[in-house]
């Protein structure tokens, strides 16, 4: 019994860990590090050979990617180690060949070549031949950062990428979790993303003209979020005042908001004429993407709201037994209006994030996203029957969906197959939900 | 049916019950609320299985595992809530579930003819094409009976068939029943209206507390005999009533009206007083309490607290003015079963445990722990899920949440229903403590010994109206109450 309880409480986390392990195992590859750290450790290897002060160095890095940065790092580390950097070549094999020949012709001694993986391979192939023509090259030793095996999935950039990709869905899923805990549903959030983005971009355009200032950007974002909040309030009002099922109300709102987005935007994406608008969607703080930090903050706040405040208690009570809640003095209708409004506000925020990422308010944004949001909530263990569910469960649900997508992309599963896998994951989640109810 | 036993968690609902129905007779089943009548007929209908005992039909033992088995055995049960699909026609309802296996090209035509024939036999003039939601209650009942006949039922069980009918429609029903009897169909008839029993029944079987207390032919039976057989319990020291000083009027209502269930109801409860509100199920007691609590809005009438008029729009208002309601059905209305004891307890009290909506969990927890000790709630701790508590302990959790509110007026609707004797006694003692502190208690109960044992004054309702009041409780008997309650 205890095992069952533990499984039902932490089962989703277990699934997440297993998925992560699985994708880690299948994406293990030889990794050739670049960047500052790699440059430092390479130079340490060189210093341990006790090179003469002022020895000549050629830095050879393949063009493209973060090649330039790596080359600069290697150069500055070399200088710091008291070596003399003859040349920094960020180039293709042809250029590398030229650089080597010119050094050979100049007659300078060249004890060290610092290269990345590609150039190291090139040098190891070409140097023996070149040194027969240019003897000064014969003493050259090629250093490249040591490689190691590491899963592509577990690389820091990849993990941050997953978090970035799920941030919009996960943030909206906070509101959706609360709605589903009250035994409701909101199908309109995908359309609200577009609506919020379009409103934001239009407001920025109309108040800021061609050169919007930061104030204008904030004003626009605020308008988009408020507009979606008001729509959420309207939905909540329809659900409580007229007792129309949330499914129907939000289905209607979904079409209205999508259509209005296209009408307002005149069917084309609305550009924001200030690149600063990308700060939210593309910016970073302390090495973490802003969207990820915002997501973390909102999840902590939502968790506190649901576990430590009367509002949270009321939400659970309304979902668990609305009549008992009403007879205990819970303002049931206000609670319902609150959750729909909050979900609207969060969808509006999601829309601003999406618009910020592309610096554009796109009426096509967030298409079918509502289903991903609902999937995250359901996979996270929130019961569609209401009354039960956890905010962090939803985060785990969103992570599971994000990890599956990422892992399938890394292993090259094609898009249609991915869709099949999502569907199966959702069905399993709902099945688990039913089984949990049975155990009880 | 013989030697039938049925146990539900915590309750022995039927104890060794025998029941015998002859061909072409009408047997009335009588008993107080909760005596086990419903459980018994649900076994015939296939909704429950007996734990022990046998059911036989024409001498052959049969097993009824579900509604289909019951129909196949020739037993049809017509529950108080009809089993008709409102958006299907009368004909479609009659033959619902019988379509498969009929090899017929034009079933609709044959069904229509059969339906017309059945209605003719029942002396009713109903167009088989009418949608069921357009039929009157009496007509719907005829459709139910026709449905049973179409399935070749030999036994017809009717649970309170007259409850929703007008006197004229009831006469019509009796004619139908007489006709069925002539055709050799046996009828089990359940009703609280004793007068009807005399008209329609041939024999009467009495149930009390889940046990069979006797079967008598209707000839030679008097109304008094019936009441005595139904309630006949002696009052002993089950009820620890203490005399308290009764003060001013705490809560009063005047001329409350809401539909048929509450008609011109006026009553008052004083400081330190326990008023017992009784009557048959459906007589409007619960509805009255719900209006006082703001759960339903009255069409007219006023509610006064300490002499000044109250505006109660919803339970929130009522709770704020110091009124609380212990609901009749604690599972569906009193508790959020999936939540913990702590969460349930906190629900109406969060305001006092929180600042700016931030809950002081420590204070809340120590408070429920205090109440738990005082009320002797048997739980593993405040984090136990309410659904897993026994009935008595669930009721104590509901009590705890209202005690914490320190409400001045307590409306107790069937406070001891489904609770074992020990917990009942504790709840009675708690009521004594509350009135000693000057609280006012309105106790709704169908258990007459409890009403007589605990009340300072008894108000009896019948069909939405207050029919009588008993002030001299110590000298009143259950028969006195029943006489008023049955109208």
């Amino acid at each position: 019994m205890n095992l069952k309880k533990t499984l039902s409480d932490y089962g989703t986390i277990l699934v997440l860990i297993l998925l992560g392990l699985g994708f880690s195992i299948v994406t293990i590859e030889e990794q050739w590090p670049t960047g500052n750290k790699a440059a430092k450790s390479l130079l340490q290897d060189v210093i341990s050979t006790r090179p003469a002060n002022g020895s000549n160095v050629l830095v050879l890095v393949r063009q493209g990617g973060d090649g330039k940065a790596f080359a600069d790092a290697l150069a500055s580390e070399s200088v710091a180690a008291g070596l003399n950097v003859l040349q920094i070549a960020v180039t293709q094999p042809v250029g590398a060949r030229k650089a080597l020949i010119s050094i050979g012709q100049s007659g300078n001694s060249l004890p060290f070549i610092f290269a990345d993986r590609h150039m190291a391979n090139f040098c190891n192939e070409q140097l023996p031949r070149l040194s027969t023509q240019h003897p000064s090259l014969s003493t050259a030793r090629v250093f490249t950062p040591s490689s190691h095996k590491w899963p592509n999935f577990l690389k820091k950039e990849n993990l941050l990428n997953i978090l970035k990709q799920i941030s919009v869905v996960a943030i909206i899923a906070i509101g959706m979790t609360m709605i589903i805990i009250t035994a409701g549903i909101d199908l309109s959030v995908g359309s609200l993303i577009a609506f919020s983005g379009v409103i934001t971009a239009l407001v920025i355009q109309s108040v800021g003209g061609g050169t919007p200032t930061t104030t204008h950007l904030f004003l626009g974002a605020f308008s988009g979020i408020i507009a979606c909040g008001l729509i959420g309030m309207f939905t909540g009002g329809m659900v409580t005042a007229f007792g129309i099922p949330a499914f129907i109300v939000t289905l209607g709102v979904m079409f209205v908001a999508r259509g209005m987005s296209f009408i307002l935007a005149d069917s084309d994406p609305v550009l924001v004429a200030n690149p600063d608008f990308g700060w939210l969607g593309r910016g970073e703080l302390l090495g973490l993407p802003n969207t990820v930090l915002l997501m973390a903050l909102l999840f902590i706040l939502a968790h506190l709201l649901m576990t430590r405040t009367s509002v949270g208690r009321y939400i659970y009570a309304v979902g668990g037994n609305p009549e008992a809640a009403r007879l205990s003095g819970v303002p049931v209708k206000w609670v319902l209006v609150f959750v729909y409004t909050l979900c609207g506000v969060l969808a509006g925020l999601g829309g601003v994030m999406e618009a910020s990422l592309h610096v554009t308010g796109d009426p096509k944004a967030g298409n079918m996203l509502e289903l991903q949001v609902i999937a995250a909530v359901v996979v996270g263990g929130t019961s569609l029957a209401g009354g039960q569910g956890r905010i962090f469960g939803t985060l785990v649900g969103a992570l599971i969906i994000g990890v599956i997508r990422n892992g399938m992309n890394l292993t090259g599963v094609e898009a249609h197959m991915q869709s099949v896998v999502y569907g199966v994951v959702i069905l399993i989640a709902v099945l688990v939900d039913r089984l949990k109810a049975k155990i009880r | 049916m013989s030697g039938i036993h049925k146990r539900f968690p915590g309750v022995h609902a039927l104890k060794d019950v025998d029941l015998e129905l002859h061909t072409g007779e009408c047997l009335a089943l009588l008993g107080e609320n909760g005596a086990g009548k419903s459980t018994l007929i649900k076994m015939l209908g296939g909704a429950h299985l007996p734990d022990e005992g046998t059911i036989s039909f024409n001498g052959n033992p049969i097993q009824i595992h579900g509604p289909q088995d019951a129909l196949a055995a020739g037993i049809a049960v017509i529950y108080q809530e009809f089993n008709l699909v409102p958006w299907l026609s009368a004909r479609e309802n009659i033959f619902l579930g019988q379509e498969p296996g009929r090899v017929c090209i034009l079933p609709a035509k044959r069904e229509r003819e059969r339906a017309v024939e059945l209605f003719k036999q029942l002396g009713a003039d109903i167009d088989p094409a009418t949608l069921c939601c357009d039929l009157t209650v009496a007509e719907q009942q005829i459709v139910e009976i026709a449905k049973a006949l179409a399935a070749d039922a030999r036994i017809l069980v009717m649970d309170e068939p007259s409850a929703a009918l007008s006197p004229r429609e009831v006469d019509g029903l009796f004619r139908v029943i007489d006709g069925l009897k002539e055709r050799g169909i046996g009828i089990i008839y359940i009703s609280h209206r004793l007068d009807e029993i005399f008209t329609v029944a041939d024999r009467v079987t009495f149930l009390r507390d889940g046990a069979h207390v006797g079967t008598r032919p209707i000839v030679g039976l008097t109304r008094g005999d019936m009441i005595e057989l139904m309630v006949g319990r002696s009052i002993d020291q089950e009820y620890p009533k203490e005399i308290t000083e009764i003060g001013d009027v705490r809560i009063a209502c005047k001329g409350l009206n809401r539909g048929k269930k509450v008609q011109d109801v006026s009553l008052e409860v004083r400081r330190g007083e326990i008023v017992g509100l009784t009557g048959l199920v459906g007589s409007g007691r619960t509805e009255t309490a719900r209006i006082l609590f703001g759960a339903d809005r009255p069409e007219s009438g006023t509610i006064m607290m300490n002499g000044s008029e109250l505006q109660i729009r919803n339970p929130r208002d009522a709770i704020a003015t110091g009124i609380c309601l212990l609901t009749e059905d604690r599972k569906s209305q009193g508790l959020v079963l999936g939540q913990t004891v702590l969460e349930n307890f906190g629900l109406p009290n969060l305001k006092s445990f929180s600042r700016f909506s931030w809950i002081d969990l420590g204070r809340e927890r120590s408070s429920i722990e205090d109440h738990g000790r005082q009320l002797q709630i048997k739980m593993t701790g405040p984090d136990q899920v309410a659904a897993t508590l026994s009935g008595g302990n669930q009721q104590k959790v509901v009590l705890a949440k209202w005690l914490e509110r320190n409400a001045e007026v307590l409306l107790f609707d069937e406070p001891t229903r489904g609770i074992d004797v020990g917990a009942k006694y504790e709840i009675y003692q708690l009521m004594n403590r509350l009135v000693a502190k000057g609280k006012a208690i309105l106790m709704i109960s169908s258990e007459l010994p409890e009403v007589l044992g605990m009340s300072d004054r008894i108000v009896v309702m019948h069909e939405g109206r207050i029919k009588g009041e008993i002030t001299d409780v110590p000298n009143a008997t259950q028969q006195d109450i029943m006489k008023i309650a049955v109208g």
Side-chain angles (χ1 to χ4, degrees):
Chain A
M1 197 60 219
N2 230 335
L3 180 74
K4 269 185 193 162
K5 187 174 156 31
T6 317
L7 266 182
S8 80
D9 281 0
Y10 299 107
T12 47
I13 296 180
L14 188 70
V15 170
L16 180 63
I17 291 171
L18 288 178
L19 278 172
L21 273 179
F23 284 127
S24 298
I25 290 168
V26 296
T27 60
I28 286 181
E29 262 182 26
E30 198 76 34
Q31 303 289 339
W32 304 87
T34 58
N36 280 329
K37 244 174 130 181
K40 268 201 179 96
S41 82
L42 186 147
L43 261 296
Q44 257 160 26
D45 290 351
V46 174
I47 290 165
S48 67
T49 66
R50 299 176 182 283
N53 224 1
S55 299
N56 290 332
V57 170
L58 168 64
V59 174
L60 207 53
V61 176
R62 191 167 74 157
Q63 207 171 6
D66 50 2
K68 179 84 173 68
F70 184 46
D72 289 344
L74 283 171
S76 65
E77 289 294 329
S78 303
V79 171
L83 302 173
N84 173 38
V85 179
L86 276 182
Q87 195 182 345
I88 304 170
V90 182
T91 176
Q92 302 296 330
V94 184
R97 197 182 167 83
K98 269 187 196 153
L100 284 168
I101 290 172
S102 78
I103 292 174
Q105 281 167 348
S106 72
N108 285 330
S109 74
L110 183 64
F112 299 113
I113 299 175
F114 297 162
D116 66 352
R117 173 169 68 114
H118 306 281
M119 286 304 164
N121 287 342
F122 170 81
C123 291
N124 291 335
E125 270 174 34
Q126 301 290 328
L127 267 183
R129 268 202 290 144
L130 286 173
S131 55
T132 54
Q133 296 161 20
H134 308 286
S136 60
L137 294 179
S138 60
T139 55
R141 290 173 63 194
V142 180
F143 283 82
T144 188
S146 52
S147 71
H148 55 270
K149 287 200 184 262
W150 188 253
N152 280 337
F153 174 80
L154 279 186
K155 278 155 82 177
K156 187 185 157 204
E157 310 89 77
N158 188 55
L159 294 179
L160 279 181
N161 207 16
I162 295 176
L163 292 177
K164 238 164 108 173
Q165 278 169 353
I166 66 162
S167 57
V168 170
V169 165
I171 285 174
I172 300 174
I174 291 174
M176 188 70 79
T177 308
M178 295 181 193
I179 288 184
I180 292 182
I181 286 175
T182 66
I185 194 102
D186 189 344
L187 299 177
S188 67
V189 292
S191 302
L192 290 186
I193 287 177
F195 189 70
S196 159
V198 169
I199 292 277
T200 301
L202 283 175
V203 168
I204 292 172
Q205 230 175 39
S206 65
V207 299
T211 52
T213 64
T214 312
T215 320
H216 294 148
L217 298 183
F218 272 108
L219 193 66
F222 199 64
S223 318
I225 293 171
I226 293 290
C228 289
L230 289 175
I231 292 177
M233 196 182 280
F234 169 79
T235 304
M238 294 289 277
V239 171
T240 51
F242 302 108
I244 310 172
F247 186 92
I248 306 295
V249 178
T250 57
L251 190 68
V253 172
M254 176 180 103
F255 285 117
V256 171
R258 179 67 67 188
M260 284 304 291
S261 310
F262 275 99
I263 294 170
L264 291 173
D266 221 357
S267 299
D268 282 322
V270 185
L271 290 174
V272 176
N274 183 345
D276 284 352
F277 186 57
W279 174 80
L280 179 63
R282 299 173 172 183
E284 285 190 358
L285 196 71
L286 306 170
L288 290 170
N290 288 336
T291 49
V292 174
L293 290 172
L294 183 61
M295 173 175 81
L297 177 72
L298 288 177
F299 266 93
I300 291 168
L301 289 179
H303 174 73
L304 292 177
L305 178 83
M306 290 303 278
T307 54
R308 295 299 310 271
T309 70
S310 350
V311 181
R313 287 279 184 83
Y314 287 168
I315 291 173
Y316 280 111
V318 167
N321 186 342
E323 182 63 5
R326 192 174 80 97
L327 295 179
S328 298
V330 174
V332 175
K333 291 187 172 176
W334 287 115
V335 170
L336 287 174
V337 171
F338 170 80
V339 292
Y340 284 96
T341 308
L342 185 69
C343 190
V345 165
L346 291 173
L349 178 62
V352 171
M353 287 163 63
E354 195 73 24
S356 163
L357 183 65
H358 303 110
V359 204
T360 303
D362 186 352
K364 291 191 292 295
N367 195 20
M368 305 288 271
L369 208 81
E370 59 277 351
L371 300 183
Q372 285 188 44
V373 172
I374 293 167
V377 176
V378 174
V379 171
T382 296
S383 162
L384 284 172
Q388 277 162 356
R390 293 206 187 124
I391 290 293
F392 280 122
T394 294
L395 181 60
V396 174
L399 279 169
I400 286 178
I401 288 182
V403 163
I404 290 176
R405 173 168 48 197
N406 179 269
M408 288 195 297
N409 281 337
L410 287 180
T411 50
V413 177
E414 52 126 3
H416 297 308
M417 194 60 211
Q418 293 196 3
S419 173
V420 172
V421 173
Y422 288 144
V424 171
V425 168
I426 292 166
L427 290 178
I428 292 173
V430 178
L431 195 67
V432 169
D433 180 43
R434 295 302 308 163
L435 291 179
K436 258 198 275 183
K438 259 200 185 142
I439 291 170
R440 217 162 262 126
Chain B
M1 300 177 90
S2 61
I4 300 285
H5 282 268
K6 181 71 193 178
R7 294 174 190 86
F8 294 113
V11 193
H12 198 161
L14 288 177
K15 302 164 201 157
D16 198 17
V17 171
D18 299 320
L19 188 132
E20 204 181 82
L21 179 68
H22 303 293
T23 307
E25 103 173 320
C26 180
L27 175 76
L29 197 54
L30 270 184
E32 280 185 288
N33 305 322
K37 297 167 300 192
S38 300
T39 313
L40 194 64
I41 64 162
K42 277 182 181 161
M43 283 178 186
L44 289 173
H48 289 319
L49 272 175
D51 294 335
E52 284 171 45
T54 53
I55 305 176
S56 1
F57 188 75
N58 288 340
N60 308 317
I62 51 169
Q63 294 276 334
I64 304 175
H65 290 288
Q68 295 298 334
D69 290 352
L71 266 185
I75 303 170
V77 180
I78 301 176
Y79 295 102
Q80 267 174 287
E81 304 288 327
F82 297 147
N83 275 320
L84 299 176
V85 184
W87 299 103
L88 290 182
S89 70
R91 168 183 65 79
E92 286 164 324
N93 264 296
I94 290 174
F95 296 102
L96 198 64
Q98 297 185 29
E99 297 93 345
R102 278 185 171 233
V103 187
C104 181
I105 301 165
L106 275 176
K109 189 172 172 229
R110 245 211 247 166
E111 281 181 9
R112 191 159 51 238
E113 284 164 3
R114 179 97 175 97
V116 171
E117 186 193 321
L118 284 169
F119 286 144
K120 203 189 270 170
Q121 285 172 13
L122 295 171
D125 182 25
I126 300 172
D127 179 359
T130 321
L131 294 185
C132 264
C133 54
D134 293 333
L135 295 173
T136 67
V137 177
E139 286 169 334
Q140 288 183 16
Q141 198 162 49
I142 295 290
V143 173
E144 278 270 16
I145 296 172
K147 191 173 157 183
L149 293 182
D152 276 332
R154 304 304 299 159
I155 296 177
L156 198 57
V157 183
M158 303 171 95
D159 190 4
E160 299 262 6
S162 59
L165 301 185
S166 68
R168 247 191 59 219
E169 290 168 331
V170 173
D171 287 342
L173 176 69
F174 291 163
R175 278 195 299 277
V176 170
I177 290 177
D178 284 339
L180 294 174
K181 275 158 62 176
E182 277 166 28
R183 296 173 54 189
I185 293 173
I187 292 162
I188 298 177
Y189 188 95
I190 296 173
S191 176
H192 279 299
R193 300 183 182 169
L194 301 186
D195 303 332
E196 290 175 15
I197 307 292
F198 285 108
T199 320
V200 77
D202 301 306
R203 289 186 310 143
V204 187
T205 289
F206 293 91
L207 289 183
R208 190 195 307 151
D209 291 338
H212 180 212
V213 288
T215 299
R216 306 281 163 83
I218 194 77
V219 184
L221 207 59
T222 66
R223 207 183 159 81
D225 296 340
M226 281 192 187
I227 293 175
E228 190 158 344
L229 275 162
M230 270 167 75
V231 298
R233 249 175 310 196
S234 63
I235 301 173
D236 47 39
Q237 241 343 74
E238 258 181 90
Y239 306 100
K241 175 71 183 160
E242 284 164 17
I243 303 301
T244 49
E245 197 181 318
I246 291 169
D248 303 334
V249 175
R250 214 349 110 54
I251 189 163
C253 64
K254 265 210 183 80
L256 290 185
N257 277 295
R258 185 182 158 88
K260 280 192 171 163
K261 291 287 192 178
V262 180
Q263 296 176 41
D264 194 25
V265 169
S266 305
L267 50 80
E268 58 179 42
V269 187
R270 291 166 176 271
R271 240 174 234 271
E273 187 183 36
I274 300 178
V275 173
L277 182 59
T278 190
L280 301 173
V281 164
S283 57
R285 308 166 305 178
T286 298
E287 289 78 4
T288 304
R290 282 176 63 91
I291 291 175
L292 292 178
F293 186 60
D296 296 317
R297 300 284 294 273
E299 284 149 14
S300 61
T302 53
I303 301 169
M304 320 238 277
M305 180 100 156
N306 298 331
S308 54
E309 196 174 328
L310 284 182
Q311 287 302 323
I312 299 177
R313 286 159 304 163
N314 52 42
R316 216 172 153 69
D317 290 349
I319 293 168
T321 40
I323 303 172
C324 74
L325 171 68
L326 195 74
T327 53
E328 159 186 39
D329 184 346
R330 63 183 164 265
K331 283 181 199 271
S332 77
Q333 301 180 332
L335 289 169
V336 184
L337 284 177
Q339 291 196 321
T340 62
V341 170
L342 179 81
E343 286 163 336
N344 272 293
F345 166 74
L347 218 44
N349 298 307
L350 286 178
K351 257 205 185 121
S352 58
F353 290 127
S354 63
R355 280 183 68 189
F356 306 114
S357 179
W358 186 260
I359 305 167
D360 183 344
L361 290 177
R363 210 147 57 80
E364 189 188 23
R365 180 170 290 265
S366 68
S367 173
I368 177 64
E369 278 168 351
D370 283 350
H371 284 290
R373 271 191 296 277
Q374 273 176 24
L375 296 173
Q376 298 171 23
I377 304 178
K378 288 183 201 77
M379 55 179 175
T380 56
D383 295 320
Q384 187 175 354
V385 176
T388 60
L389 291 172
S390 74
N393 286 308
Q394 284 179 346
Q395 191 72 307
K396 286 180 185 175
V397 172
V398 183
L399 278 168
K401 81 185 192 187
W402 294 126
L403 292 180
E404 177 64 26
R405 281 296 309 188
N406 204 13
E408 290 302 321
V409 176
L410 300 113
L411 311 171
F412 285 178
D413 195 354
E414 302 283 1
T416 63
R417 174 180 288 178
I419 288 176
D420 62 79
V421 182
K424 269 186 189 176
Y425 192 79
E426 288 167 25
I427 287 174
Y428 297 141
Q429 282 181 320
L430 176 72
M431 287 167 67
N432 280 334
R433 286 205 297 277
L434 288 168
V435 287
K437 280 194 234 160
K439 315 280 186 196
I441 297 179
L442 181 68
M443 178 183 72
I444 296 172
S445 177
S446 300
E447 262 188 71
L448 299 184
E450 172 177 287
V451 174
L452 288 166
M454 290 306 296
S455 310
D456 295 302
R457 195 150 54 81
I458 298 171
V459 176
V460 187
M461 286 185 79
H462 174 72
E463 293 185 345
R465 291 175 185 280
I466 289 182
K467 263 285 148 73
E469 188 175 315
I470 297 170
T471 44
D472 182 18
V473 178
N475 294 317
T477 63
Q478 296 182 38
Q479 281 85 344
D480 294 339
I481 298 178
M482 278 308 273
K483 263 178 207 153
I484 309 174
V486 294

